[in-house]
Amino acid sequence: MRIVVQRVKSASVRVDGQTISSVGPGIMALVGLHENDTEVDAEYCCKRLLGAKLWANDNGGQWRHGVKQKGFEVLCVSQFTLYGTLSKKKNQPDYKLAMKSVPAEALYNRFLELLRDTYSHDKIYDGQFGAMMDVDLVNDGPVTIVIDSEQPPNNEASNPT
């Protein structure tokens, strides 16, 4: 599972010209599901997303508060293209690593449920799964973090060279 997390002043999603979700300050999260993802990946990413310390505390200490501590909102947008690759010769996108639509929608909805149960039902918003969406946001910073549920091999994570 891959999430591109952006700290935002505001964000919204429109489908067919109609705004279906909008948030004030908080997080805009683009959520991609890998073909091998499970609920364990969703649980891990939920914990990391809600625990990410992207804001200063009241004393000005940078990177001390997360979205829950600030009482801010989260807008999630499903985005299978996060697992896209480009072919070597034609530079055409290939999405074979992305989870197929039916299981992806089920796991994405489970991820939203985990966020709502862990944080607050009225603070978690989303786009429309599988729809062509217009996404607007005002970055705050900008601050962008990528959360991947797969951990790097130990030799890459601990190799000081």
Side-chain angles (χ1 to χ4, degrees):
M1 192 168 185
R2 179 170 294 150
I3 304 175
V4 176
V5 180
Q6 294 182 300
R7 187 176 75 180
V8 297
K9 293 183 179 184
S10 63
S12 64
V13 175
R14 288 188 320 277
V15 175
D16 296 328
Q18 297 290 91
T19 299
I20 60 170
S21 289
S22 63
V23 298
I27 289 174
M28 165 72 182
L30 304 174
V31 180
L33 298 165
H34 186 274
E35 63 181 345
N36 296 327
D37 283 341
T38 66
E39 187 166 339
V40 172
D41 297 285
E43 290 168 354
Y44 173 83
C45 286
C46 172
K47 180 179 177 181
R48 299 287 288 177
L49 177 64
L50 294 178
K53 296 180 186 288
L54 304 178
W55 288 272
N57 63 16
D58 294 337
N59 298 325
Q62 289 298 316
W63 317 115
R64 300 286 189 257
H65 281 176
V67 69
K68 288 173 64 174
Q69 291 166 295
K70 298 300 264 183
F72 290 163
E73 299 168 319
V74 178
L75 175 58
C76 293
V77 174
S78 61
Q79 190 166 356
F80 73 93
T81 61
L82 290 179
Y83 280 103
T85 59
L86 292 176
S87 64
K88 290 183 181 181
K89 291 185 179 181
K90 295 184 180 180
N91 284 323
Q92 293 176 317
D94 182 330
Y95 303 109
K96 65 184 172 198
L97 296 177
M99 186 177 283
K100 302 297 182 227
S101 183
V102 171
E105 185 172 13
L107 188 56
Y108 176 73
N109 286 332
R110 178 64 183 134
F111 176 67
L112 293 174
E113 184 178 299
L114 288 166
L115 289 172
R116 290 177 176 126
D117 290 347
T118 305
Y119 183 19
S120 174
H121 283 263
D122 65 342
K123 298 285 188 182
I124 306 298
Y125 297 86
D126 71 308
Q128 182 177 331
F129 188 90
M132 287 295 292
M133 294 176 270
D134 295 327
V135 179
D136 292 319
L137 64 108
V138 177
N139 275 317
D140 182 10
V143 174
T144 303
I145 303 288
V146 177
I147 298 171
D148 275 309
S149 60
E150 291 184 27
Q151 300 303 306
N154 286 339
N155 60 351
E156 288 180 25
S158 61
N159 190 351
T161 59

